[in-house]
Amino acid sequence: MSSAGSIPGASPTDSATETVADSAATSSITTAASTLPEPDSADTAAAAVSNCQVCGLHASKYKCPGCMTRTCSLGCSKKHKAQTKCSGTRDRTKFIKRSEYDDNTLMSDYGFLQDMARDRANMLREANSRSIGMSGKSGINNRNPLPAQSNFNSGSTVVLNRSQKNIASRAKAQRQVQIRYMSPGIQRSKLNKTIWASTWSRLVWTLEIVVPELEPQPAKWVETGFHDVCKVADLWNRLLAFSPTSSASADAGADEKRKRARTEGVIKIQLPSDDSQEHQFRSAISHEMLQQLKQRFGSKSANELIWLVRVQDMPANRPTFCKIDAGQPLYTQLRYQTVLEFPTVYVYSQMPSTWNGHEISIREACTGDENGDSETKEAAEAVEAAEQTTAISTEETLKPDVEHCESDQMTKDPLIN
């Protein structure tokens, strides 16, 4: 007689085996269930954050730029702004940690700087149109105007200070040269020390000299305090003929030794001027570069070399240079020219054919008849024509008054009546 839970026809041994198997399967299922991972609290928090923070019913689709509040629709976004008085715009001056700084933040900061520069340019343009100076007063008698100078290459407008305006106007009126200033932050603008010397009525230039043929890299240095009545050839010849003096003697005084220590390494030469006298000139060229120039051009004088000045406002694929005579005063060679901050003179042993892969166009004389170089000449002619027109109109205006006075005198004269 078998038990109630046994299978008919099965032996007791088989029943025991099945019971053991069932208990083993039950224990394995229980073990597997105990090893399943429990829901992570972080995932739950992320799921909660992903929902709309206004209604909490739907998944968020938008994020407020001002306070980073997540919303699901336009209605929730408006409700959020009404409740919190949030402007909805990001604070572009808010501090951001370096770890949180990304490409989007970089582009936002770049746009912010561009907006600030645009606002500043608009304010300066508005102030210039109203003749508002630094003192805040308006009117034509303002002593601190804000003149603007247009750069034709970039289309930007540079606001000149009082000194720059004086130098530019004097250079155009008395030297027939157009000085074009750049933005103050540019390196070339920082190097410019050009002044107008009222004592001698001349320009004291900052002069850049470039020697492209020097190897392994072109030589370039910037001189300051070069009077425009001097000749570049004298500067070149005196530099190549310069030889350093001996050091201070042992019996020299302490003051003399300190003075020579301060000036040690400075190249001093004597440059002839237009008054038949020579004045001392301190060159900025280094001794190493001077030695390279002596090795490369030691046997050639300045008159045997080719001196070029680049013409402004020309296309990049049409580089144009003007050949100057280094044996003449500098102001005569810059007449009717446009210089960018200060002149740059290129020195060659033979005429170049290309510049940055483009064919060079050379002008033998600076006549100012082409492109931007005629601006100074045309401006001078326009001023002269305007003065003549004003004189003629004034004469025609006064002429009827004279005739009217003569007729009145003839009427009132009793001898004539």
Side-chain angles (χ1 to χ4, degrees):
M1 187 74 182
S2 62
S3 61
S6 61
I7 301 174
S11 63
T13 306
D14 296 337
S15 300
T17 304
E18 291 177 356
T19 304
V20 173
D22 293 340
S23 61
T26 304
S27 62
S28 62
I29 293 173
T30 305
T31 304
S34 62
T35 58
L36 289 175
E38 297 180 356
D40 191 3
S41 59
D43 295 340
T44 305
V49 172
S50 63
N51 291 335
C52 178
Q53 293 179 324
V54 177
C55 64
L57 301 177
H58 306 285
S60 62
K61 297 180 181 179
Y62 312 103
K63 184 188 293 184
C64 177
C67 59
M68 300 301 172
T69 300
R70 296 177 179 272
T71 56
C72 62
S73 62
L74 179 60
C76 289
S77 178
K78 291 182 177 181
K79 186 177 180 181
H80 151 67
K81 293 181 180 180
Q83 292 176 350
T84 61
K85 305 299 181 182
C86 179
S87 61
T89 58
R90 187 179 71 87
D91 185 7
R92 306 173 84 177
T93 60
K94 181 181 178 181
F95 174 77
I96 298 177
K97 297 181 180 180
R98 182 177 297 180
S99 58
E100 300 175 358
Y101 201 89
D102 53 5
D103 294 340
N104 295 331
T105 310
L106 175 63
M107 295 304 299
S108 178
D109 291 345
Y110 179 72
F112 175 71
L113 295 177
Q114 282 189 324
D115 294 341
M116 293 294 294
R118 188 183 304 109
D119 293 342
R120 180 180 180 274
N122 293 336
M123 292 176 61
L124 292 175
R125 191 179 301 109
E126 181 69 18
N128 184 40
S129 63
R130 297 185 181 183
S131 299
I132 301 176
M134 300 299 293
S135 61
K137 300 178 181 179
S138 60
I140 59 175
N141 295 326
N142 187 15
R143 296 177 58 85
N144 294 304
L146 293 175
Q149 184 186 73
S150 177
N151 285 344
F152 301 103
N153 285 339
S154 59
S156 61
T157 300
V158 179
V159 178
L160 306 184
N161 56 38
R162 196 171 185 178
S163 176
Q164 291 174 335
K165 180 186 177 184
N166 177 63
I167 296 172
S169 59
R170 295 281 187 175
K172 178 182 288 187
Q174 302 190 27
R175 294 308 193 195
Q176 290 79 48
V177 57
Q178 175 78 23
I179 301 179
R180 185 174 299 167
Y181 289 96
M182 307 177 72
S183 299
I186 299 179
Q187 182 66 20
R188 190 173 182 86
S189 177
K190 296 179 180 179
L191 293 175
N192 189 10
K193 306 297 181 184
T194 301
I195 63 171
W196 174 262
S198 302
T199 305
W200 301 289
S201 296
R202 68 182 61 162
L203 283 167
V204 182
W205 283 109
T206 295
L207 182 65
E208 183 181 24
I209 301 178
V210 182
V211 187
E213 295 179 345
L214 202 62
E215 296 179 355
Q217 60 182 1
K220 179 174 64 175
W221 74 96
V222 178
E223 302 282 12
T224 57
F226 188 84
H227 292 235
D228 63 356
V229 296
C230 297
K231 305 173 183 178
V232 183
D234 293 334
L235 173 62
W236 180 269
N237 294 332
R238 298 293 175 93
L239 283 177
L240 293 185
F242 173 81
S243 58
T245 57
S246 59
S247 59
S249 58
D251 56 349
D255 294 340
E256 183 67 20
K257 289 182 178 180
R258 284 195 296 268
K259 182 178 180 181
R260 293 191 179 185
R262 288 195 303 267
T263 59
E264 186 177 0
V266 178
I267 299 177
K268 297 181 180 180
I269 58 177
Q270 298 292 328
L271 285 182
S273 183
D274 58 339
D275 53 2
S276 302
Q277 296 182 359
E278 295 187 352
H279 66 277
Q280 192 176 68
F281 180 79
R282 292 189 177 188
S283 177
I285 189 174
S286 62
H287 287 272
E288 294 78 8
M289 188 177 298
L290 182 58
Q291 291 300 324
Q292 295 179 5
L293 292 180
K294 289 182 178 181
Q295 295 176 2
R296 180 67 175 82
F297 302 100
S299 60
K300 292 186 178 181
S301 62
N303 296 330
E304 299 176 357
L305 300 175
I306 298 174
W307 301 80
L308 302 177
V309 176
R310 188 168 185 180
V311 179
Q312 301 295 328
D313 302 327
M314 296 297 295
N317 58 356
R318 289 179 51 198
T320 305
F321 290 82
C322 180
K323 185 178 180 181
I324 65 174
D325 186 1
Q328 297 296 326
L330 182 60
Y331 77 91
T332 62
Q333 303 303 302
L334 296 179
R335 188 171 295 164
Y336 306 129
Q337 286 288 317
T338 298
V339 298
L340 197 60
E341 291 284 348
F342 50 84
T344 299
V345 182
Y346 298 87
V347 187
Y348 289 90
S349 59
Q350 56 184 358
M351 187 65 69
S353 59
T354 59
W355 176 270
N356 292 334
H358 301 287
E359 185 178 356
I360 290 181
S361 176
I362 302 295
R363 298 180 185 175
E364 293 296 332
C366 298
T367 58
D369 293 335
E370 299 181 17
N371 300 314
D373 295 332
S374 61
E375 179 183 355
T376 304
K377 188 175 181 180
E378 293 177 356
E381 293 176 354
V383 171
E384 184 178 358
E387 292 177 352
Q388 293 178 358
T389 305
T390 304
I392 293 174
S393 60
T394 304
E395 183 179 357
E396 292 178 352
T397 304
L398 294 177
K399 187 175 180 180
D401 295 340
V402 174
E403 295 177 353
H404 180 69
C405 292
E406 291 178 354
S407 62
D408 290 346
Q409 185 177 3
M410 292 174 62
T411 306
K412 296 179 181 179
D413 196 343
L415 296 179
I416 298 177
N417 293 335

